[in-house]
Amino acid sequence: MEFTPSQKVRQIPKSFFADLDKKIDAVEDQSTLIDLAKGNPDQPTPEFIIDELKIASEKLENHRYTPFEGKTNFLKAISNYYQKNYGVTTDPFKAILTFNGSAIGISAIPQVFLDPGDYVVTTDPCYPEYDASVALAGGKLYQLPITEANDYLPDLESIPDEVLQKTKILLLNYPNNPTGAEATSQFFEKVIQFCKLHHILAVNDFAYAALSYDEKPVSILEAPEALDYAIELNTFSKTHNMAGWRAGYVLGNESAIAAIKKYHDHVYSTIFGAVQDAATVGLESDQSSVQQLRTLYRQRRDTLVGGLKQLGWNVVEPKGTFFVWVKAPEGLDGEQFTVQILEQTNIVVAPGIGFGSNGRDYIRLSLTHDESVLKEVVERLSKINY
Ligand SMILES: Cc1ncc(COP(=O)(O)O)c(C=O)c1O
């Protein structure tokens, strides 16, 4: 018997990353394959976090259900972290909700705020999951181009009136996957004033909050009046190399958090209490492990970006994240270039089209490999003919 999924599931796009996985699995010579397509952190979780997990896993309180929104110590640690790092004051019990990774927030937020036909405005390119989460909620996605010409920051004034009238959420992601761009304080101030004027909820997906190369990235919640109009998603996946642990949170405007909590209580479960305790020590640490990680990625960025530039490639130098956004050579689009690279060098990269139509002529390379591997990448790419 073949079962047919609902109309809702039929209309959502296939997962871009699951499709990439299939392409990678299909590569014949797996032994020399280098996968730069996905952004799966390669470094281990810091030892002090793992040590806390071991201790916390033996505590009876963590063998039981934990509170829906998160354990008190975890919520307070998040609130203190934002106070210390960004000067943002939040009530730990009203302004914060924790869940199993920011991916949960990305799928929940459109469900909570959209009625059929409402819009989420985001950028083009953007993180591919935004598309599916909006479609699942019966909403529509409107994408604003981000290019070198606008410093990879969208022009909010260019949203057409008919879209603006039905826009409930402005979904941003800075530091930005895939372009590596960062937002400025002035841009976030503009966003908040724009959202105030048009009654829109501003959401910043801050997944790469700690992964910047020069200046500390700004949080949207630092902008004046932000707690009236914005929420921010954050995660332990990249900052603390905890992608497999599934821990993230959202914080900001209390009415928005209350609405997401109401939905979350029914749809998702809680994070294992010991993972919350371990994440808490990550937040309360002196952040030296995060600093080391930043230094590591900076070296890798310099190796790959420097190497590609020497080959004459058109590289967008990332200010943050662990991705490098590269323009395909004249005469090839990103997908064609991806095929050439794979066939000639056995390196898999992500075609930019997966992030939006504006990414058609680009490819995305990830820095989640040792420097020696990235040097090998440059060496192999130096021999490619196109
Ligand atoms: C922009 C962006 N947001 C969210 C996520 C999901 O992160 P998490 O592991 O917290 O679910 C990713 C993961 O790659 C990402 O790139």
Side-chain angles (χ1 to χ4, degrees):
M1 165 95 194
E2 184 122 348
F3 292 96
T4 311
S6 67
Q7 170 99 32
K8 200 183 247 183
V9 169
R10 286 206 303 272
Q11 59 151 16
I12 55 171
K14 276 193 186 160
S15 162
F16 173 63
F17 295 107
D19 259 14
L20 265 179
D21 273 346
K22 275 190 207 139
K23 280 186 192 141
I24 293 165
D25 289 345
V27 172
E28 221 167 278
D29 179 5
Q30 291 283 331
S31 65
T32 63
L33 179 77
I34 301 178
D35 174 9
L36 299 188
K38 283 179 290 145
N40 200 349
D42 61 311
Q43 292 296 297
T45 306
E47 221 169 292
F48 70 93
I49 295 179
I50 298 176
D51 288 345
E52 179 61 28
L53 175 78
K54 288 178 188 160
I55 297 165
S57 69
E58 299 202 350
K59 291 185 182 161
L60 177 63
E61 68 184 48
N62 290 331
H63 299 176
R64 315 183 63 209
Y65 293 119
T66 55
F68 276 118
E69 60 272 22
K71 290 178 72 172
T72 297
N73 60 330
F74 190 32
L75 296 171
K76 284 186 176 169
I78 293 167
S79 179
N80 290 338
Y81 178 83
Y82 259 74
Q83 179 70 61
K84 201 167 155 195
N85 276 272
Y86 305 109
V88 173
T89 308
T90 49
D91 180 327
F93 305 108
K94 291 189 180 154
I96 303 173
L97 169 65
T98 66
F99 35 56
N100 300 90
S102 51
I104 299 293
I106 291 167
S107 62
I109 291 165
Q111 297 284 350
V112 175
F113 296 104
L114 299 188
D115 285 312
D118 285 341
Y119 276 92
V120 171
V121 173
T122 191
T123 59
D124 181 359
C126 71
Y127 182 54
E129 289 311 310
Y130 298 165
D131 190 8
S133 66
V134 172
L136 269 173
K140 293 180 184 168
L141 195 69
Y142 186 82
Q143 293 184 268
L144 295 167
I146 52 171
T147 61
E148 197 178 349
N150 58 20
D151 285 329
Y152 301 96
L153 300 172
D155 175 10
L156 304 177
E157 302 303 333
S158 70
I159 304 170
D161 267 353
E162 64 275 18
V163 173
L164 194 52
Q165 276 161 21
K166 290 188 158 195
T167 299
K168 293 282 172 64
I169 297 170
L170 175 60
L171 177 52
L172 301 167
N173 162 225
Y174 290 100
N176 182 257
N177 173 10
T179 65
E182 284 187 357
T184 57
S185 308
Q186 293 88 322
F187 172 70
F188 276 152
E189 282 166 26
K190 224 193 289 171
V191 165
I192 297 300
Q193 290 312 310
F194 183 85
C195 288
K196 178 179 180 176
L197 186 65
H198 298 286
H199 306 106
I200 294 169
L201 175 66
V203 182
N204 186 41
D205 176 356
F206 212 19
Y208 299 90
L211 298 186
S212 64
Y213 299 113
D214 304 311
E215 286 167 42
K216 183 167 143 277
V218 274
S219 156
I220 195 167
L221 300 182
E222 288 176 76
E225 300 184 84
L227 288 172
D228 286 333
Y229 302 101
I231 55 175
E232 187 154 79
L233 286 161
N234 212 321
T235 173
F236 294 83
S237 294
K238 329 283 171 173
T239 314
H240 298 286
N241 288 317
M242 292 172 66
W245 298 50
R246 311 312 299 134
Y249 54 94
V250 61
L251 79 170
N253 178 276
E254 291 182 8
S255 65
I257 298 295
I260 304 168
K261 267 186 193 176
K262 184 177 180 196
Y263 177 79
H264 181 269
D265 289 352
H266 294 289
V267 177
Y268 301 108
S269 196
T270 53
I271 314 172
F272 177 31
V275 168
Q276 299 186 46
D277 289 349
T280 299
V281 302
L283 289 170
E284 290 175 344
S285 74
D286 64 6
Q287 306 301 302
S288 53
S289 61
V290 182
Q291 183 55 42
Q292 281 162 18
L293 192 64
R294 215 177 274 139
T295 305
L296 180 88
Y297 281 125
R298 187 185 290 116
Q299 282 162 354
R300 291 176 176 184
R301 176 199 65 166
D302 292 347
T303 298
L304 186 63
V305 170
L308 294 180
K309 279 188 172 170
Q310 272 189 355
L311 300 181
W313 286 33
N314 191 345
V315 185
V316 179
E317 185 153 344
K319 292 185 175 158
T321 76
F322 46 51
F323 299 112
V324 183
W325 192 234
V326 178
K327 192 149 199 271
E330 279 300 312
L332 290 181
D333 66 22
E335 249 181 331
Q336 292 164 330
F337 196 34
T338 301
V339 172
Q340 294 273 340
I341 291 172
L342 181 60
E343 283 178 356
Q344 295 188 46
T345 68
N346 215 24
I347 296 170
V348 189
V349 301
I353 188 75
F355 303 86
S357 58
N358 215 35
R360 184 178 308 280
D361 293 331
Y362 289 81
I363 57 170
R364 191 196 73 174
L365 281 59
S366 107
L367 297 171
T368 51
H369 288 274
D370 273 354
E371 238 189 304
S372 58
V373 176
L374 297 177
K375 282 183 182 156
E376 163 77 15
V377 165
V378 176
E379 172 62 24
R380 286 196 206 175
L381 293 176
S382 70
K383 301 196 177 110
I384 189 171
N385 294 312
Y386 45 80

